[in-house]
Structures are given as structure tokens and as C-alpha cells.
Amino acid sequence: MNQGTALHLKWPRQSKLQCSVQNANCVVMVPPKEFGFNAETAKDNEFQQPVTMDSVAVRAAAMGEFNTMVAALRKVGVQVVEFDYPKSEQETPDAVFPNNWFSTTQDGAFYTFPMACNNRQHEVRPEALMKSLRAAGRVIIATDSMESYAKRGAYLESTGVMVKDHVNRTIYAALSQRCEREALEDYAKRIGYHRVVSFQTALPSGLPIYHTNVMMAIGENFAVICADLIPEYERRFVIKSLAKSKQVITISEPQMNHFCGNILQLETVNGDKVIAMSQSAYDAFTPSQRQQLSTHGKLLPFDVSTIETVGGGSVRCMLSEIFLPSRVKSL
């Protein structure tokens, strides 16, 4: 695919597995077989916390959380592609968060992205993943890469830093060392999205939020956001933009710290809406907020406390949406 262009492909008919505009019905998940505390990412990820458990116990606990989540998603009808990659000399403690290095579009494009942390760059295995996606019945027509930006020290960590309103072709993004403005706007042009809403954030430490998807989520008709992190002059603009077409549910910073912003609306293969979140997030939402969210889909809470504490990411980080067309069998 050429830089600055978007694919415009027409499909003669859709299969039952075709997803909607906003929500995917298929996700990639990566087992945490090398999971552990990543000192490199902890430099700007304040959600990570070291624990007293040894590495074997941490990985065993994380694997249990992962397997339970995979089984539950499949049970409700979300297609899960489990990408069990081969180990390399360099361990990848954060591979359980695959949404940071690739994304897909309904046009059949597969994109890879530059990641800021060196040991996370070893997670990028596009050929192996595309093979798994094709085996799962998904069609890849073109590939493109944003990774050349890394040569100039610019990074864009996919749907970690970009929260997409696919319905309105708008990308929301908190700028940080993991989200460079030029790369962000370039990517938006490549996929044909006409609007980018980027903004600054500040935690109590003074650091920006490391990933937008920790403070913000967008569904088909709702948005969750920790607006207090955004400077007031930008905050009003972001909220107004979201409110044009979404029910806006604002969360506090303590709620964000329990990963209330790190949730994801999905669809089952039958078109039913579900909202995946951690048990920590579910418990931190107020009853009225849970009621509001439940009008947009069945709430699916998962206990991923080990992964949240050690890895600094939650359920949404573990889910890479697959929007690729599904292969249609001839009649």
C-alpha cells in the first residue's frame, strides 16, 4: 500500500462472521508464557507494580487468567485467535498485550507499528500472525507499516495510543513519547479517517498517560473517559466531540486506576453486543455507571489481577480487534 492512501475495496457479499463498523467479533490474544515485570516499560507506565511472587508463580497465575478469559469469550460467541508464537532469545514479557504492535481494517489491510520500548519490538511477528489469521478464515489483501518512524525516534503504539470512533472515522489520542503527532496523522490519512482529536494529559506525577486506552474507551453509542487528566482548554473540546454521537460516561482518576477506561465493546458472531472489562473495573464502576453500560451490551468482567498489577495493562490491552473480512465459502 502506498503512503497516504487508503484501500477502497468492495466485497460481493458478507459472511456470517463479518463484523460491524465499530465492533469486532474476532480478537487476537497471546498467551503470557514469558510474562513478567518489564522494567523498561515501567519508566512511563505507572500502573505496573512489582510483586513478591516468583516469576514461575506470576506466569502460572497470568496463564490461568488468560485461559479463563479466552474460554469465556468463546462461550459467548466472540471468535478468539490464540497466537501462540515461538520463543526467541529475547523474552517478551508484555506479549500478552498484542494490540500495541498491529491493527487491521475492514478493507483487508494489516498494519504494523513502531513501539517505543526496545524489548517490546521483539513482539512484532507479522508473518506468523498473518498465517494464523488466514488459518482462522480471515482475508488479508494488503500490508503496510508505520515502523520507519522508529528510525527518527517517533512511535505510535497502535490501539494502545489510538482510540477509534470507526462510525465517525475519528481517532482520539493522548500525545506522549509512545504517540507522536506526525505518525498519528499519517496513519489516519492512510486508512482514510478524516479527523484526529489529539490532546495533552497529565497524571499527578506530571507524566502524560502512557496509553490512551487506559483512560478512554469508545463503543458504538457510548464513550468512557477520564476527562480530568486533560487540560481544561482541551477537555471541553474532547467531551463536546464525543457527545455529538455518544453517551459520555466520565470516570474519576481512582476509577481509571482500576482500569475502568480499559474496556472494549465487541460483538458475537450473531451480532450481540458484549463489553469486556476486568473484575477490578467492574467493581470500581458505580451501580448507575454499570447500568448505563449494560444498555450497550452484556458486561463481561474477568479477573486479570495478576496481569493488571505486574503488566500495567488490563482486558482491553489483551484484545487486538480483527476487522479483516472473513473468507466466504462458495455455494
Side-chain angles (χ1 to χ4, degrees), residues 134-299:
R134 290 184 175 112
R138 297 290 164 160
V139 179
I140 300 170
I141 299 172
T143 62
D144 200 358
S145 174
M146 305 294 297
E147 293 177 85
S148 63
Y149 277 94
K151 296 177 182 178
R152 64 181 90 166
Y155 305 101
L156 186 69
E157 295 192 340
S158 192
T159 54
V161 298
M162 295 182 287
V163 177
K164 300 174 183 176
D165 178 356
H166 298 291
V167 176
N168 295 299
R169 304 179 78 80
T170 300
I171 296 174
Y172 292 82
L175 298 174
S176 69
Q177 70 168 356
R178 304 196 194 194
C179 182
E180 198 272 336
R181 189 191 300 271
E182 182 182 348
L184 171 68
E185 294 179 351
D186 181 12
Y187 171 72
K189 291 178 181 178
R190 294 192 197 195
I191 64 171
Y193 278 33
H194 61 270
R195 193 159 175 259
V196 173
V197 179
S198 59
F199 48 89
Q200 304 293 330
T201 60
L203 294 164
S205 65
L207 290 173
I209 194 79
Y210 82 106
H211 275 164
T212 315
N213 74 3
V214 178
M215 62 171 288
M216 183 179 185
I218 292 177
E220 189 171 48
N221 296 303
F222 74 92
V224 173
I225 184 170
C226 182
D228 291 345
L229 298 188
I230 306 173
E232 185 177 356
Y233 70 94
E234 291 183 306
R235 183 190 313 154
R236 291 193 297 268
F237 178 80
V238 174
I239 294 294
K240 183 178 179 180
S241 176
L242 291 168
K244 287 179 181 179
S245 60
K246 312 290 181 186
Q247 178 186 29
V248 179
I249 301 171
T250 57
I251 58 174
S252 66
E253 187 182 334
Q255 286 180 306
M256 180 193 70
N257 291 336
H258 284 89
F259 295 99
C260 288
N262 200 241
I263 69 176
L264 182 64
Q265 186 182 42
L266 297 166
E267 287 189 13
T268 70
V269 293
N270 293 319
D272 298 321
K273 305 286 195 307
V274 297
I275 302 176
M277 64 182 68
S278 71
Q279 187 66 52
S280 174
Y282 181 89
D283 293 341
F285 279 119
T286 67
S288 62
Q289 287 172 331
R290 286 197 292 268
Q291 194 281 327
Q292 286 177 304
L293 286 170
S294 67
T295 65
H296 300 286
K298 179 181 179 180
L299 306 187

Side-chain angles (χ1 to χ4, degrees), residues 38 46 72 78 82 105-106 116 119 123 131 136 138 145 175 181 214 216 269 276 315 321:
N38 189 340
E46 298 185 14
V78 176
E82 192 172 337
T105 72
Q106 290 190 330
N119 65 2
E123 298 171 27
K131 182 178 179 180
R138 297 290 164 160
S145 174
L175 298 174
R181 189 191 300 271
V214 178
M216 183 179 185
V269 293
V315 164
E321 301 149 285

Side-chain angles (χ1 to χ4, degrees), residues 26-52:
C26 176
V27 293
V28 164
M29 296 183 67
V30 178
K33 60 188 180 184
E34 298 178 322
F35 183 70
F37 184 81
N38 189 340
E40 189 173 345
T41 57
K43 293 175 183 178
D44 67 343
N45 180 350
E46 298 185 14
F47 292 82
Q48 291 177 242
Q49 301 294 327
V51 294
T52 57

Side-chain angles (χ1 to χ4, degrees), residues 122-133:
H122 296 276
E123 298 171 27
V124 183
R125 297 175 170 90
E127 295 302 325
L129 178 54
M130 286 191 288
K131 182 178 179 180
S132 294
L133 290 171

